[in-house]
Amino acid sequence: MKILAIIPARAGSKGIQNKNIRKINGNHLIEYPIICAKKSKFVNRIIVSTDGEKIAKIAKNAGAEVPFLRPKKYSHSKASQLDVIKHTVNFLQKNESYVPDIIIILHPTNPFVTSNLLDRSIKKLKKSKADLILGVMPVKTHPFRSFWHDSQYLKKFSSDFDKFYQRQLFPSLYFPTGDIYTFWYKSFKKYGKVFCPKIEPLFYKKDEISMNIDTPFDLFLSEMTMKYWENYKKNFK
C-alpha cells in the first residue's frame, strides 16, 4: 500500500514566532512528526508542506521530502488543512502520477505522537470499515456545564444544565486531539473532506500524551514534560 504522511508546517505563526523551527529537548518541532513517521512500520512516504525555506531545509535534513514550497494562497492564517491536503495530492498526481491509498496528517505542534500510536491508527483503518481513524481523548471540561455570554448575562449552554450537577452524570464526550488523522484517500476523494461519515476513534492509552503547542507556555510545558515526566510519574506507582 502507498501510505503517505503529510506534515503541514506553515512559516507564519501568531502565537509563537517561527514556531515550527523552535527547539524543545534538542529537536526542532518540525522534526518530531518526521521522526515518528520514519519509525512507522507502514508509512512509506513523508511529505512536508511548507512555505518556509528554513523549515524545508530542516525537514529535508531530518529525512522528509519537500518537493515544493507551498503557494501563498494556501499559506495564510486562514488557509485550511483541507487546502493543504488537496494541494499536496494534486501536486503529486500531476507531477508523479502518485496516488496514495492511505493519508495520515501529522502536526509539528503535537510532538508526543509515537510511531506506535501512528501504526495503531493504520492497522485499525485497514481492519475496519471506517473512512477515518481519529485520535480522541475525553473532554476535561464538559460543555454541558458551560455558558454562553448573551449580552449582559450568562446563558446556560444546555437546557439540561441543572440535571448534570455531578461530573459522573455527564454523557461520554470526546474531542479530537489533533495528533492523528488517518484516512482512506478514496473516501477523501469521494466526499471532498477529511471528516467523512464513518469515523472511528483511536483512544489514547494511559501513558500516551497529547499536547498542542500554541503559546510559549505550551512550549514550556511540553519541554518540561519531555525532560521530567517519565521519572516524576514513578512516584505514583
Side-chain angles (χ1 to χ4, degrees), residues 50-73:
T50 184
D51 59 325
E53 293 184 2
K54 288 184 179 179
I55 294 174
K57 183 177 179 181
I58 294 169
K60 288 177 183 178
N61 289 339
E65 295 178 60
V66 188
F68 54 78
L69 283 180
R70 195 195 308 170
K72 288 183 179 180
K73 63 180 179 179

Side-chain angles (χ1 to χ4, degrees), residues 75-198:
S75 302
H76 54 81
S77 60
K78 293 184 180 180
S80 69
Q81 178 172 265
L82 186 62
D83 292 330
V84 173
I85 298 168
K86 286 182 176 179
H87 172 257
T88 302
V89 172
N90 288 341
F91 179 92
L92 295 175
Q93 288 180 353
K94 182 179 178 181
N95 292 277
E96 304 178 22
S97 299
Y98 174 89
V99 179
D101 296 299
I102 293 174
I103 297 175
I104 302 109
I105 304 301
L106 297 172
H107 290 278
T109 50
N110 299 279
F112 292 93
V113 180
T114 64
S115 56
N116 179 59
L117 187 67
L118 177 56
D119 285 349
R120 273 168 42 206
S121 75
I122 296 168
K123 286 189 284 187
K124 187 166 187 176
L125 184 68
K126 288 181 176 180
K127 291 180 180 179
S128 74
K129 294 182 180 180
D131 301 303
L132 165 69
I133 304 298
L134 184 67
V136 296
M137 298 184 81
V139 296
K140 290 185 177 180
T141 303
H142 205 287
F144 281 15
R145 295 295 289 177
S146 302
F147 291 86
W148 297 103
H149 184 207
D150 183 16
S151 185
Q152 181 180 353
Y153 301 108
L154 292 174
K155 182 181 179 181
K156 295 172 184 176
F157 176 78
S158 169
S159 59
D160 291 330
F161 182 91
D162 296 318
K163 175 182 176 181
F164 300 103
Y165 58 88
Q166 287 182 328
R167 177 174 54 83
Q168 293 81 2
L169 296 174
F170 290 147
S172 297
L173 195 64
Y174 300 88
F175 73 98
T177 60
D179 298 338
I180 294 282
Y181 303 83
T182 301
F183 52 94
W184 293 107
Y185 172 67
K186 62 184 179 183
S187 297
F188 177 78
K189 186 177 180 181
K190 179 179 178 180
Y191 295 102
K193 56 186 178 181
V194 173
F195 291 95
C196 299
K198 297 178 181 177

